[in-house]
Amino acid sequence: MDSDDEIPLLVTATTLDPVPVTIITGYLGCGKTTLLNYILTEQHSKKIAVILNEFGEGDTMEKSVAIGEKGNLCEEWLELQNGCLCCSVKDNGVKAIENLMSKRGKFDYILLETTGLADPGPIAKLFWIDTELGSDVHLDGIVCVIDSKNANKYLGGTLLDESNSDTINPSTRQVALADIILVNKIDLVDRQTLDMLKTKIRSINGSAEIIETTNSKVDLNKILDLKSYTPSNNVRIDEMIRNAESSDGKSHIHQNISTVTLEIPDGILRKSLDTFVCKILWENLLKDSKGNLSEIVRMKGVIRFSDGSTAAVQSVYDMYEFQEITENLCEVPPGSRIILIGTFLDKTELSHLLDKCIDLRYD
Ligand SMILES: Nc1nc2c(ncn2[C@@H]2O[C@H](COP(=O)(O)OP(=O)(O)OP(=O)(O)O)[C@@H](O)[C@H]2O)c(=O)[nH]1
């Protein structure tokens, strides 16, 4: 049957605003599918398309599901020729979305569930800024689900990568990149275990909001329409800064992945900050005091520049962006700061580098 015939009820006029994409990530068996099902069942005002990234026997399929306001569920399969979304993200990811976009008007929100071992970073970059996709879609946020019964075994540990202790394992990357973290399966652990796990999570990602769940049940307003990559979302900026301040520099796990907040002098020149950001993201020169090479996984911040403008700065790995903040400026917390999540972050070294860039000792 023609897939267009399958979902006629969903063909209603929708805005051509960019479609938000929420990435749902988390280690194997943590409750991602449970969360998807919960969203699709509980949420009735949006028409949601779902992309599942599933490993099969030698091939991978992207499954797109559209759901209507009245709970009419229809499915279609978008077959991909080779590889999984995270491995050949550019070709397959773009193709999956282009396929979806040809059906625009039938959905107004996209949920993308990654496999348990996927690094959500490349996928996030694809959705965040992609010229081929134009303004059709925009990244709304990354939600990471954690299995509170088992997470301590792999989170921050080397279980998955014994050969290279400097590499962050996939589950830790997923936590580091998340905007919201659902600590799921709390029915299976006691309060002490839960609190220890939350401390560990907070030490990796100081800025994300952490929410405890059972069967991935969560207030959907907490995970959809986050606008995490939109500078005008000042409430989230405020929350993010407060969370980060409470966990600054605390890292309890051996890879030394942590969150560091750097205060930036108000009125910094754009050029100075740009130089600093390029140095830490692109030049691979940043080290901690013991000589370990730092890796910045995620950066977020608000900067007040010398010309009186204010901008939100964000990065996912090496991709970064400054976005002017023009609205509700009074709600943006005073001062300028950036929050860095990564490995071997040394606040003193970072401050020295920033000072050099401010003194224009670097061009
Ligand atoms: N006890 C308990 N079980 C849960 C909870 N959430 C999910 N489960 C169960 O955990 C199992 C795995 O859940 P899924 O939602 O399939 O997990 P997933 O992350 O999609 O798994 P993969 O696709 O294998 O990575 C299922 O049997 C769920 O019913 C919870 O909060 N408590």
Side-chain angles (χ1 to χ4, degrees):
M1 195 193 307
D2 186 303
S3 59
D4 282 346
D5 294 333
E6 289 181 73
I7 43 178
L9 290 175
L10 304 180
V11 186
T12 53
T14 56
T15 168
L16 286 182
D17 284 346
V19 180
V21 181
T22 293
I23 296 177
I24 297 174
T25 188
Y27 195 58
L28 303 166
C30 59
K32 297 182 295 294
T33 307
T34 307
L35 176 62
L36 271 181
N37 289 335
Y38 179 71
I39 297 172
L40 292 175
T41 311
E42 288 298 308
Q43 185 292 130
H44 301 296
S45 61
K46 296 183 196 308
K47 290 171 285 185
I48 294 185
V50 177
I51 300 175
L52 297 179
N53 188 207
E54 295 176 342
F55 288 100
E57 284 289 311
D59 66 348
T60 302
M61 299 178 110
E62 300 305 319
K63 180 182 175 188
S64 157
V65 180
I67 189 161
E69 294 96 323
K70 294 181 183 131
N72 303 311
L73 182 67
C74 306
E75 294 186 8
E76 59 191 284
W77 290 86
L78 305 174
E79 296 212 23
L80 299 180
Q81 312 241 303
N82 47 51
C84 75
L85 184 62
C86 48
C87 299
S88 47
V89 64
K90 201 70 186 165
D91 297 341
N92 287 343
V94 169
K95 185 173 169 192
I97 299 307
E98 281 173 354
N99 279 343
L100 270 181
M101 283 303 148
S102 69
K103 297 177 175 52
R104 261 191 111 179
K106 295 173 186 169
F107 59 89
D108 49 28
Y109 208 98
I110 297 173
L111 297 176
L112 187 148
E113 181 192 336
T114 69
T115 64
L117 295 172
D119 174 358
I123 302 171
K125 281 165 62 173
L126 171 73
F127 285 104
W128 183 16
I129 306 168
D130 192 288
T131 48
E132 287 166 68
L133 297 175
S135 58
D136 277 349
V137 292
H138 74 86
L139 180 59
D140 184 69
I142 302 176
V143 176
C144 177
V145 187
I146 295 283
D147 175 346
S148 50
K149 173 92 176 148
N150 294 302
N152 262 316
K153 283 187 240 158
Y154 48 76
L155 196 57
T158 50
L159 193 67
L160 299 169
D161 193 6
E162 306 245 336
S163 60
N164 184 354
S165 62
D166 290 349
T167 303
I168 315 172
N169 73 27
S171 62
T172 310
R173 274 190 197 276
Q174 291 165 352
V175 168
L177 283 160
D179 299 297
I180 301 286
I181 297 169
L182 303 189
V183 178
N184 192 36
K185 303 197 185 182
I186 60 167
D187 54 314
L188 301 181
V189 290
D190 57 34
R191 178 44 60 186
Q192 194 187 4
T193 309
L194 197 56
D195 287 343
M196 277 167 56
L197 177 62
K198 284 170 71 178
T199 303
K200 194 172 192 179
I201 291 168
R202 182 55 77 219
S203 76
I204 297 169
N205 183 335
S207 71
E209 184 176 358
I210 300 174
I211 303 172
E212 295 177 12
T213 59
T214 301
N215 292 318
S216 306
K217 286 186 183 155
V218 58
D219 175 356
L220 297 185
N221 293 321
K222 294 273 189 186
I223 59 168
L224 302 180
D225 292 319
L226 294 179
K227 299 187 175 60
S228 291
Y229 294 78
T230 307
S232 58
N233 192 345
N234 299 328
V235 177
R236 279 204 53 72
I237 292 173
D238 192 17
E239 262 173 30
M240 186 182 85
I241 289 171
R242 273 190 282 112
N243 288 339
E245 275 169 355
S246 67
S247 72
D248 196 18
K250 292 176 196 154
S251 180
H252 309 289
I253 52 179
H254 88 279
Q255 285 110 328
N256 214 8
I257 184 164
S258 62
T259 300
V260 164
T261 304
L262 271 191
E263 302 294 331
I264 311 284
D266 264 353
I268 188 172
L269 290 174
R270 237 164 229 275
K271 185 183 172 200
S272 303
L273 192 72
D274 210 36
T275 306
F276 176 68
V277 170
C278 290
K279 293 230 168 265
I280 61 173
L281 295 186
W282 291 355
E283 293 191 10
N284 277 339
L285 295 173
L286 189 65
K287 291 184 178 166
D288 70 3
S289 56
K290 294 182 185 146
N292 296 304
L293 200 59
S294 312
E295 181 192 355
I296 311 282
V297 173
R298 185 88 165 92
M299 175 176 66
K300 311 168 195 183
V302 178
I303 311 293
R304 289 176 161 87
F305 287 114
S306 55
D307 61 7
S309 63
T310 300
V313 58
Q314 296 235 26
S315 77
V316 174
Y317 293 148
D318 59 346
M319 183 187 278
Y320 78 94
E321 175 178 69
F322 288 100
Q323 292 176 303
E324 300 301 314
I325 299 179
T326 51
E327 294 164 17
N328 303 324
L329 201 55
C330 58
E331 290 175 23
V332 178
S336 297
R337 55 184 69 72
I338 53 177
I339 297 160
L340 299 159
I341 301 174
T343 50
F344 300 115
L345 298 183
D346 186 320
K347 194 164 178 166
T348 310
E349 296 294 323
L350 280 158
S351 298
H352 282 157
L353 182 60
L354 177 65
D355 288 344
K356 284 183 184 169
C357 295
I358 290 172
D359 293 346
L360 299 182
R361 276 183 266 158
Y362 285 121
D363 285 324

